[in-house]
Structures are given as C-alpha cells and as structure tokens.
Amino acid sequence: MDQQIEKQIRQNFEHLHENGEVSWEEYKTTKYIEEILESYGCETETFQECPGVVGKYGNFDGTVPVVALRADIDALWQEVNGTPCANHSCGHDSHMAMVLGVLYVLHSLKDIKNQVAVKFIFQPAEEKAAGALKMVELGVIEEVDYLFGVHLRPGAEVADGFATPMIGHGATKLMEIEIDGEDAHGARPHLTHNAVNVGTQLVQAINQIRMNPSVPHSVKVTKFHAGGPNTNIIPGKASLSLDLRAQTNEVMEELEEQVDHIFKTIEFQYGTKITVGAINQIAAARTNDEAITVMKGAIESELGEAYTLEPTVTPGGDDFHFYTIKKPELKATMLGLGCDLKPGLHHPQMTFNQDRMLDGTKILTQAVLGVYDIRAELSKLTN
C-alpha cells in the first residue's frame, strides 16, 4: 500500500481515537469525516435529525451497481484510568479509518471513478442499536445493491492475521422494567406489595426459562434497584434491566413471548403494575451467499486462503443487520478482522494490532472492486 495512504489511515485513527463522541452526539466526528469526503471529490449528505454523514464517490447514473461501506462512529462512555470519558473500546475508530482508507485507495487508482458507484455511510448510535434504523428511515440505502461492514474481532473468535467473510451476530434485546406500586410503613406490610418480593419473583421466573438448547440463547436481569435510604419504608417501586440474547430472530421471538408471559403472570399474582420502558433491540444476522463469496475472495486475495476463515458465529450483536431486515434484497455481509484484540471488546483498556487496519482497508477495497470484477487491477497497482 502507498506509504502516504498508510500514513493517512493511521492519522485518521489517532484523531478519531482521541476525540470520541457518544451515541447521537457525534457532530464533531461527522464534521471531520465530511471534510475528508469532500476533499476527495465525494458528494456528501448530512442530516438535520441526527449526526452522521454519507459520501458518494463514482458514477451514480444507474449503469453500475451501487456498493456501500458502513462504518459506525460512536464511542462508549466509560471510566478510563479513573476518568469518565467517551472511549472507542469497540473499535469504531478503526472502522472509520479503514472505510476512509478505501476512499484513499480508490482515489489513487486511475480510471476507477467512472467504473464504480460507492457510498460511504458513517452511521451514528450503533451502541444504542438505533443508528442503522435511522439511516434506513432517512433513505440512505434505497439505491444500494451491496453493503459491506467491518468489525474488529477478539482473538477467541478470529486470530491475529486471519479474517472471516461474515460475522453471524445474534439478536439482542435490552429492556428497562418498572414495578409500579405504592410505598408503605414497615409496620404495615399488608398495605402494599413489596417491590423487592415482586422483583425477586420476576428474577426467579426469568432464571427458570427453558428453551431448546440447540440454538444459543440467554436471558438475565442486569439491574435491580428498590428502596431508598429509609429502611422503615416498604418500597412499592423498583426498576430492573433485562438482557435477552438469541442466535436467531425466531428464537428471540420465543424468548420475548416467555418473558411477556412472566410479566403478566406476576402482575396478576401480586396485583401490581409492571411497565416495560425503554427497549433497545438488535436483529440477528441475515446472511447473503453472494456478498459472503465476494468478501471471501477479497480476503483470499489479500491474506491468502490459509488465513481465510469460514463465517464466524458470535453471541454479540450489531445493528448493521437492520439494513437487511428492512431491505431483504440487499446483498450484505460484515468482515470480521482478527487483530490481537485484548483484553476484549468494550474493555476500557482495549488494544489491538493497528497494522491490521491496513489489511482491513485492502480487503474492503478488494470487496468493492470484486463486485465490478476489477480486483486484479487493484493488485497490480497497490502491491
């Protein structure tokens, strides 16, 4: 790869890493990327409703397929070395740097611009499982035929130097639950239903859910708060959080039905109200053989067949898959990049082999050009 392009990729990563922004607040990130896209001849689009930016590069007259690359742009809010901050511990900074790197490589190739139609989608709020749906609502993928994403993978899934042409994320649903009753004096327990008892019954019932073990799934309570500083008050209210996971969308639906049945049963048993508040949900991956084949060829071209893995299944989630849920004819897949990532995704001290961003850039570029059957030309010009 050209040394100047490599330098730009690393500089972009360093800037984005040092200037992370949390979900729905990525306005400086949006501006930074927008300026880069425009400096390389992209037609850009930003949105009044939310942060995020889309760049169009190439020939959009309808004579060639439209290929999109998606990078998530939000960071997590975490305590790092004792200081709360926006922290890119999920690798989104590297995803942005790699997708921008594809633009740099395409721009360096002679006579490519008229042969391709590439959309660069920089999407907000992946960590809130809501950004992809917002991009769909805004019409970003209406003209797109192929969609490629990328995500760093922990070593337990993809070893350093290897890559997989598809990440088989599972479905995720995060729920906020409120038990809504009245407080009572500690000497008069007959006047209320103790929210601690109600919540404990809910936890026990959740833990007793049994479904077919052949498809990975789990449901667990991740927060339980009831009562205040006065120990002589029986709390009527409590708040809980639930985390539901399933490897398929169908099993997730079954899991949701069982949880809903538990809510209704406990409401009837105690005569209290259980309210479901905020919900964040991520769909399981919908695979596309054609997109996977293109990405597999791209990996083999850059890393070699020995370093090309089969599609990888993971219990994690990503809102990338809402694009294919909302547009089933879309040919989409997500590159999984092995990069010696440790201790793990979302760990505040996460590190990875930054040299792998160069591999990821080349693989994504090969995937784009593979759609147009011009991958061989890229090898001649960049190796």
Side-chain angles (χ1 to χ4, degrees), residues 157-224:
E157 291 181 8
V158 182
D160 186 34
F162 289 75
T164 175
M166 191 276 285
I167 306 172
H169 288 104
T172 301
K173 187 167 188 176
L174 309 176
M175 308 172 68
E176 297 291 338
I177 310 301
E178 298 291 333
I179 298 171
D180 190 12
E182 297 295 331
D183 292 351
H185 194 286
R188 300 173 179 83
H190 63 289
L191 296 180
T192 191
H193 292 291
N194 190 331
V196 174
N197 295 339
V198 178
T200 300
Q201 182 73 13
L202 191 152
V203 173
Q204 291 175 340
I206 290 291
N207 289 338
Q208 292 302 312
I209 289 178
R210 297 290 182 268
M211 293 172 54
N212 187 341
S214 64
V215 179
H217 63 274
S218 69
V219 55
K220 75 290 294 183
V221 176
T222 55
K223 181 185 77 174
F224 187 164

Side-chain angles (χ1 to χ4, degrees), residues 1-30:
M1 179 180 290
D2 181 90
Q3 289 185 350
Q4 181 59 32
I5 293 176
E6 178 180 334
K7 181 180 178 181
Q8 288 173 291
I9 292 169
R10 295 185 188 278
Q11 287 178 340
N12 289 156
F13 169 77
E14 290 171 6
H15 174 88
L16 294 162
H17 182 77
E18 293 299 324
N19 296 276
E21 296 175 292
V22 296
S23 301
W24 299 126
E25 297 180 16
E26 312 97 321
Y27 288 103
K28 292 181 181 178
T29 302
T30 295

